[in-house]
Every structure is written in structure tokens, then in C-alpha cells.
Amino acid sequence: MDFNNIQQRISLLYKAIELYYDFKQPMIPVTEEGENNGKRYLTVKLGAGITTEDEKLDFFNRIILIIHNIANIKDNLKKFLSERNLNQKVVEMIIDDSIHLSIIADLSNSEKHGYPLTKTRRSKLDPKITNIRKSWDINFPLSKVYHNIMDSNVQFKADIVDFNDNFICDFDELIEKAIENWEDFFIKNLNEVSGEILLIRENKIQKNKQILKVQQTINEVNKIIQSSEWINVSWQELVVGMIVRNIQRENNLTNSTGIIVEQFIDGNALPIIKLKDDSPFGIINFHVEKYNWQVIKIVKPNDLMVLSYYYYNCDVLFQSIN
């Protein structure tokens, strides 16, 4: 390992961040069955659970690894500039101008020298890491896009507070903003060693474009569904490829909306359709006689193309933004 290699230092920082965000645990729902007044019930408990002291220490070590990697860029960068007869003061200026980089510097020095610092206090806040906890991590990046909760994770979180325990920001914001500050500096002043930074930023730009593209498709689908007429049909009229919705008979509420992908008779001689919707479970079997059915009235041929494309490919679209 070449400790003087500024490009390797940047790569180490990104690797430390990957390690931090990979520190997740699968969220396992806890189910409980019981009986109350002669009625059976099933309770599903979703939550972050208890964070043990060992887990907190493990997570704290990962936090410190990132903090030191961000803070250590300063000395490596000053040496890099000195060897090229460039002004080193700009490094101190970028830290002083950034509250997030200043907090990183103080946290790094506090871990090395003890808390609170008695000499250099960059942020003047005497920051501390506190409230290490588990958080149920489920993403809703798009309106009306629902992810499978079974694929969610319990993620570890922490807060940054000042000497009087006043909240400053959470740790995710701290590292995001601090890294963004360094990335801006490198791109502006040291483009020749910013290849990895530029690549990561380009990937973010492309990801945001894909999110916007998927969001536009969802908005168009919702507009068609909400503005179109729905016609009552008998289940005998249903065929593969129809955009339909089923209605719960007991309360007249819409249950699912999607496209019919298969019809068959099950082992009990009951007519079944497979409906593909945009729910977490994707394709669902429905005993057709248990529901009232409606089919969408398509006025514009393009509307049918949009809806069919969406329902057939929604799982792929969602995966493309995750």
C-alpha cells in the first residue's frame, strides 16, 4: 500500500463507505398466532429490534473507519500539493469553510486524543457520536411504488450532537456532505486524480435519470387509470392481456389492478386467473368467482401499450432504480 498515493486514498475512502452501507441485517418479521373470543388471529411484528452493546461497538468501529479516512485526506493532500510546489493553505480553507469537514476533523481528533479537545477545535461544537440504533430501512423512491417488505433491511444509524447534546445532523448526512465537499475540491483543483470521483458522479447522474424515467412512466400509468372508464364484466369474459381490477364483494373496495397473464382451472376445479400488478408480490392467483371484475375502457391505443408495458415490466423497472 502506497500511503502517498492520493488516488489510492480516494479509493480507500469509497471502500470504507461501502463497508458502512453493507452493514445491514435482513429484516425478519416475527409472527404470532393466537385466539381471541373464538377467533383466530395472526400478528406480524416488524421492527428494528434491540441493538446489543457488541453490535454498537462493531458499528462504531465502522463509523470511525470512515471518519479517519475522510479526515486523513487532509495530510495526504497537503503532501501531494507540497511535492508539486502548490499552495497547501487551500486544504485548510476548504475544511474551515465546511461545517461537515470541520466536524469530521474534530471527531477524528477526539477519537485519537480524547474528548473534549483541548487544542484545535475546528467546528467549535465539540461534536459527539450518539444514539447508535437500528432502523427499519425500506425505500420509497417513487410515488405509488411499493417494495417488498421482506426484502427490507435493518440498518444501523447514529446521530451527531454538540457538547450540550443538541442535534447537529445524522451520520449519513455528515459523511455525504463531507465527501461531496472533497469531491468538489478535487474536481475543481486536481482533475488529473479525479477519475474515480468523476465516474461515481456520472453513475449517480445516470441513476437519477433512470429514476426520473421510471417516475414519468408511473405518473402516466396512474393518469390513465384514474381518468379512464371501468366497465363491469363477468369473470367468464376475462381473457389474457386484459387490464382489469377486482373488487372485494363484502366492502366494494378495489383489491388489485393489473394485467391478466394466465387463466387455468385448479385441482379443485375452480377457475383461477394470474394477475400481474405492481405490488411487492408481483403475480397473484385469484379465484375469479370470489370477486367482482371490471375491465378498463381504452380510448387511445397508446394507453393500452403504456399499461401493458408497465405491468409486464414493472419489476424490471423497479430493479433498475434499486
Side-chain angles (χ1 to χ4, degrees):
M1 173 69 193
D2 181 1
F3 292 108
N4 295 325
N5 189 320
I6 196 69
Q7 287 177 291
Q8 283 189 358
R9 176 62 63 182
I10 295 170
S11 295
L12 276 175
L13 172 58
Y14 285 129
K15 290 296 182 184
I17 295 165
E18 288 177 8
L19 180 64
Y20 166 74
Y21 282 112
D22 282 345
F23 189 47
K24 298 180 180 180
Q25 298 176 338
M27 186 191 69
I28 303 174
V30 178
T31 60
E32 176 184 305
E33 295 187 44
E35 185 174 326
N36 186 15
N37 294 326
K39 295 182 178 180
R40 299 285 299 172
Y41 68 83
L42 175 67
T43 301
V44 181
K45 297 180 180 179
L46 302 172
I50 299 172
T51 307
T52 67
E53 289 304 314
D54 282 346
E55 287 175 329
K56 288 183 180 180
L57 289 174
D58 192 5
F59 181 57
F60 184 79
N61 279 332
R62 294 167 188 258
I63 288 177
I64 293 301
L65 177 62
I66 295 179
I67 288 173
H68 285 329
N69 270 282
I70 297 175
N72 289 343
I73 286 179
K74 180 192 77 168
D75 294 327
N76 289 94
L77 186 54
K78 290 175 74 172
K79 188 175 188 300
F80 180 86
L81 295 175
S82 176
E83 291 172 348
R84 288 158 179 76
N85 296 316
L86 299 174
N87 185 9
Q88 302 176 48
K89 292 183 179 179
V90 67
V91 179
E92 301 294 343
M93 291 171 58
I94 188 68
I95 296 174
D96 289 337
D97 289 343
S98 167
I99 184 61
H100 297 95
L101 288 177
S102 296
I103 290 173
I104 289 287
D106 285 346
L107 289 172
S108 179
N109 285 326
S110 294
E111 198 277 332
K112 289 185 289 187
H113 304 299
Y115 181 89
L117 294 172
T118 56
K119 294 182 179 179
T120 304
R121 299 167 59 243
R122 303 296 291 251
S123 68
K124 306 297 189 293
L125 293 171
D126 296 315
K128 298 179 289 186
I129 302 167
T130 187
N131 193 22
I132 294 177
R133 63 199 183 276
K134 288 180 180 177
S135 173
W136 180 22
D137 177 29
I138 181 169
N139 296 317
F140 296 94
L142 305 172
S143 63
K144 298 188 178 181
V145 176
Y146 304 100
H147 294 260
N148 189 348
I149 60 172
M150 302 298 287
D151 293 333
S152 302
N153 290 291
V154 173
Q155 186 176 17
F156 284 76
K157 301 283 188 179
D159 294 334
I160 308 300
V161 300
D162 64 14
F163 182 80
N164 296 311
D165 294 327
N166 296 310
F167 178 79
I168 301 173
C169 63
D170 63 30
F171 185 69
D172 284 3
E173 177 188 330
L174 177 67
I175 60 173
E176 180 182 340
K177 296 297 183 182
I179 292 168
E180 186 178 290
N181 291 152
W182 276 131
E183 287 177 340
D184 289 342
F185 173 83
F186 273 85
I187 291 172
K188 181 179 179 181
N189 299 282
L190 297 169
N191 197 262
E192 68 273 20
V193 294
S194 302
E196 186 172 1
I197 294 172
L198 292 169
L199 178 61
I200 288 175
R201 287 209 165 177
E202 178 61 26
N203 289 338
K204 288 181 180 178
I205 291 172
Q206 295 305 318
K207 188 66 169 286
N208 288 335
K209 286 182 179 179
Q210 180 62 19
I211 290 175
L212 179 60
K213 180 180 177 181
V214 175
Q215 181 67 75
Q216 289 172 339
T217 300
I218 292 170
N219 290 343
E220 189 173 358
V221 166
N222 289 329
K223 181 179 179 181
I224 294 170
I225 289 175
Q226 293 168 8
S227 63
S228 296
E229 180 183 353
W230 289 82
I231 303 170
N232 293 324
V233 295
S234 64
W235 67 264
Q236 291 91 344
E237 299 175 80
L238 301 177
V239 297
V240 171
M242 278 186 173
I243 307 296
V244 299
R245 62 188 185 188
N246 53 16
I247 315 296
Q248 296 182 22
R249 288 180 175 174
E250 62 270 19
N251 53 24
N252 204 37
L253 295 177
T254 299
N255 186 65
S256 292
T257 301
I259 190 166
I260 299 175
V261 294
E262 187 181 348
Q263 295 172 290
F264 63 94
I265 303 296
D266 71 4
N268 297 314
L270 298 174
I272 305 293
I273 71 163
K274 284 184 178 289
L275 187 68
K276 192 172 190 300
D277 61 12
D278 59 359
S279 74
F281 305 103
I283 299 177
I284 308 174
N285 290 348
F286 288 101
H287 175 200
V288 293
E289 295 178 325
K290 290 186 177 181
Y291 299 89
N292 295 321
W293 294 87
Q294 293 182 333
V295 62
I296 195 168
K297 182 178 180 181
I298 297 295
V299 177
K300 303 176 183 177
N302 185 63
D303 288 352
L304 179 59
M305 292 177 59
V306 171
L307 293 176
S308 298
Y309 169 79
Y310 174 70
Y311 285 115
Y312 276 124
N313 299 284
C314 58
D315 49 348
V316 177
L317 291 174
F318 300 160
Q319 290 172 11
S320 72
I321 61 172
N322 288 333

